[in-house]
């Protein structure tokens, strides 16, 4: 009798301390600024001065860029600094990807105002970014990965803000250096966006 394995977490888990906590607060500030808008009664010049003071303090205590780049690419830093899944990156939602027993990967997330395009829906470029990442994780989970060669995205219907999104992807075929991978983005059970990509396995020799 075969058993189904528990999903495997493919991304670094957020830490409840240090930089991860500060970055989570920064995400809240970004969303709060968008929510407040120009119509707020707050003195935004004072808000700006306070934020500038925080930025200056961080810059004064930062390592050199070269040192930081080394840290980012060491251990699990590669997913901690990432703009989609990075708990250390205020641009990231961040997503958490799971590798499933059937070979697929899945992530669930809800996006707010920072990711808005048309009113109430996610910017199409953000949807493409999330799916490109999902495809890459699907390749890693399958054991054969590479660099994105082509990415084709089809928008079936607008993907809404403030609704849980389900992002899935799967590696379909591997032919020589070419890896074909597909993915989907659903909201409320409806298909919103699909993607298909050809990745190029950089580890295999080029054909002569």
């Amino acid at each position: 009798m075969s058993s189904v394995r528990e999903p495997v977490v493919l991304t670094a888990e957020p830490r409840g301390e240090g930089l991860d906590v500060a970055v989570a607060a920064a995400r809240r500030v970004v969303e709060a600024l968008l929510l407040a808008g120009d119509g707020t009664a707050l003195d935004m010049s004072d808000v700006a001065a306070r934020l500038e003071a925080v930025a200056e303090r961080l810059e004064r205590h930062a390592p050199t860029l070269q040192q930081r780049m080394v840290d980012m690419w060491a251990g699990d830093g590669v997913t901690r600094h990432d703009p989609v899944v990075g708990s250390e990156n205020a641009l990231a939602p961040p997503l958490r990807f799971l590798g499933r027993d059937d070979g697929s990967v899945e992530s669930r997330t809800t996006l707010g105002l920072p990711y808005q395009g048309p009113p109430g829906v996610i910017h199409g470029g953000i949807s493409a970014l999330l799916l490109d990442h999902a495809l890459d994780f699907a390749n890693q989970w399958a054991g054969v990965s590479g660099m994105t060669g082509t990415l084709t995205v089809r928008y079936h219907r607008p993907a809404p803000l403030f609704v849980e999104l389900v992002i899935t992807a799967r590696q379909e075929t591997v032919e020589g250096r070419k890896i074909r991978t597909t993915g989907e983005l659903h909201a409320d059970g409806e298909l919103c966006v699909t993607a298909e990509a050809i990745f190029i396995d950089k580890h295999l020799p080029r054909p002569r």
Side-chain angles (χ1 to χ4, degrees):
M1 182 177 178
S2 62
S3 59
V4 177
R5 293 180 299 169
E6 287 295 314
V8 176
V9 179
L10 304 177
T11 46
E13 293 285 26
R15 298 167 179 154
E17 59 184 5
L19 181 58
D20 287 15
V21 175
V23 168
R27 289 192 194 100
R28 182 179 177 187
V29 169
V30 169
E31 186 139 13
L33 285 168
L34 283 167
L35 186 61
D38 281 334
T40 181
L42 283 173
D43 180 356
M44 294 305 268
S45 295
D46 177 64
V47 172
R50 290 170 182 264
L51 293 176
E52 288 285 358
V54 171
E56 288 175 8
R57 184 180 177 189
L58 288 169
E59 290 166 358
R60 282 199 307 271
H61 291 85
T64 65
L65 178 59
Q66 184 176 8
Q67 289 173 319
R68 184 64 180 127
M69 291 291 286
V70 170
D71 291 341
M72 283 180 170
W73 287 96
D76 65 358
V78 65
T79 58
R80 286 195 178 280
H81 81 258
D82 185 276
V84 173
V85 301
S87 57
E88 293 182 353
N89 192 330
L91 299 179
L95 269 61
R96 180 177 186 262
F97 276 98
L98 300 176
R100 302 201 173 279
D101 204 31
D102 64 359
S104 67
V105 299
E106 179 182 301
S107 182
R108 293 173 181 262
T109 191
T110 302
L111 300 184
L113 291 177
Y115 305 99
Q116 181 172 234
V121 301
I122 299 165
H123 190 288
I126 298 297
S127 297
L129 174 65
L130 301 186
L131 279 166
D132 182 46
H133 247 65
L135 300 178
D136 182 54
F137 273 105
N139 289 335
Q140 293 181 42
W141 182 235
V144 182
S145 60
M147 304 294 288
T148 308
T150 61
L151 176 67
T152 303
V153 180
R154 181 180 178 188
Y155 299 93
H156 301 265
R157 56 176 51 83
L161 299 173
F162 312 115
V163 172
E164 185 181 61
L165 309 175
V166 180
I167 302 163
T168 57
R170 174 190 301 275
Q171 187 177 99
E172 301 290 350
T173 60
V174 177
E175 298 179 0
R177 299 183 67 224
K178 293 184 177 181
I179 306 161
R180 177 175 168 269
T181 315
T182 60
E184 299 180 347
L185 186 155
H186 289 79
D188 275 341
E190 293 192 322
L191 180 64
C192 298
V193 189
T194 55
E196 179 176 347
I198 299 297
F199 291 80
I200 306 302
D201 186 347
K202 59 182 181 295
H203 298 107
L204 293 178
R206 292 180 180 274
R208 295 186 178 183

